[in-house]
Amino acid sequence: MANLNKVFLMGNLTADPELRYTPKGTAVTDIRLAINRYYAGDNSERQEETTFVDVTLWNRQAEVAGNYLSKGRGVFVEGRLQLDSWEDKASGQKRTKLRVIGENIQLFPRGGEGDMGGAPRQQYQNAPRSNNYGQSRPAQNYNPPPMPSTNQPSNDFGDMDDEIPF
């Protein structure tokens, strides 16, 4: 049976990252993402739910995060899940925690608060709307150039390979 351990997350940092180095000189930083989910509640009111996810970044990704990310900044993380387990020294109980090991990050440009760095939403609310559903209108008095003539029939598939590559 095939296995897949892949995570894609998009959220905002809850605190400034702290870049540190292992004794062997490997860069590492831990970040925490706040990921918002919006949905309609029982009375059709808009509800918001926030999930906090811990992400560990290594090597160059850790250095980029430490140098360029700050609290509130939007980031996209691609990575994998890892289960950490340990024994609690105070109670002696076995503890576990699921975290994301970030393998690739993409920073969002700085922008308005809470919108992951994008343009303000109001900018698009008052934009003019058209009723042509994304189709462009032809320009007035536009005459397209003539198509080049070919000597082959338009539906001649004689030179195509019969084999399908998959």
Side-chain angles (χ1 to χ4, degrees):
M1 176 179 211
N3 294 302
L4 177 66
N5 183 357
K6 198 66 152 173
V7 176
F8 298 97
L9 300 170
M10 198 171 351
N12 295 316
L13 263 64
T14 62
D16 291 339
E18 292 182 25
L19 179 63
R20 21 182 236 287
Y21 292 89
T22 65
K24 291 187 178 183
T26 304
V28 62
T29 189
D30 293 313
I31 60 174
R32 180 171 250 205
L33 292 181
I35 303 166
N36 296 323
R37 174 180 170 252
Y38 300 98
Y39 61 96
D42 294 335
N43 54 1
S44 298
E45 283 189 30
R46 181 179 166 163
Q47 302 289 319
E48 180 180 359
E49 173 184 275
T50 303
T51 302
F52 297 95
V53 179
D54 292 325
V55 179
T56 301
L57 301 167
W58 293 91
N59 300 317
R60 182 68 182 135
Q61 300 297 320
E63 291 174 343
V64 168
N67 292 327
Y68 297 104
L69 288 178
S70 58
K71 180 179 179 178
R73 182 87 185 259
V75 65
F76 172 80
V77 176
E78 178 182 351
R80 61 184 168 83
L81 293 175
Q82 178 177 300
L83 183 66
D84 295 337
S85 54
W86 69 95
E87 187 173 309
D88 188 3
K89 292 180 181 179
S91 65
Q93 293 182 338
K94 184 175 180 179
R95 308 279 297 185
T96 60
K97 181 178 183 175
L98 197 60
R99 73 170 53 246
V100 172
I101 303 299
E103 296 169 347
N104 189 21
I105 62 171
Q106 293 181 19
L107 313 178
F108 288 105
R110 294 197 183 273
E113 279 187 47
D115 64 354
M116 304 237 317
R121 291 187 182 137
Q122 290 177 342
Q123 174 181 348
Y124 298 107
Q125 289 177 348
N126 298 326
R129 300 187 189 274
S130 66
N131 59 359
N132 60 357
Y133 302 103
Q135 302 296 322
S136 59
R137 295 182 184 163
Q140 298 291 336
N141 301 327
Y142 174 72
N143 293 322
M147 296 293 292
S149 63
T150 61
N151 294 335
Q152 290 184 329
S154 62
N155 56 356
D156 179 23
F157 298 108
D159 62 335
M160 293 186 75
D161 202 359
D162 289 337
E163 305 247 349
I164 298 176
F166 50 89

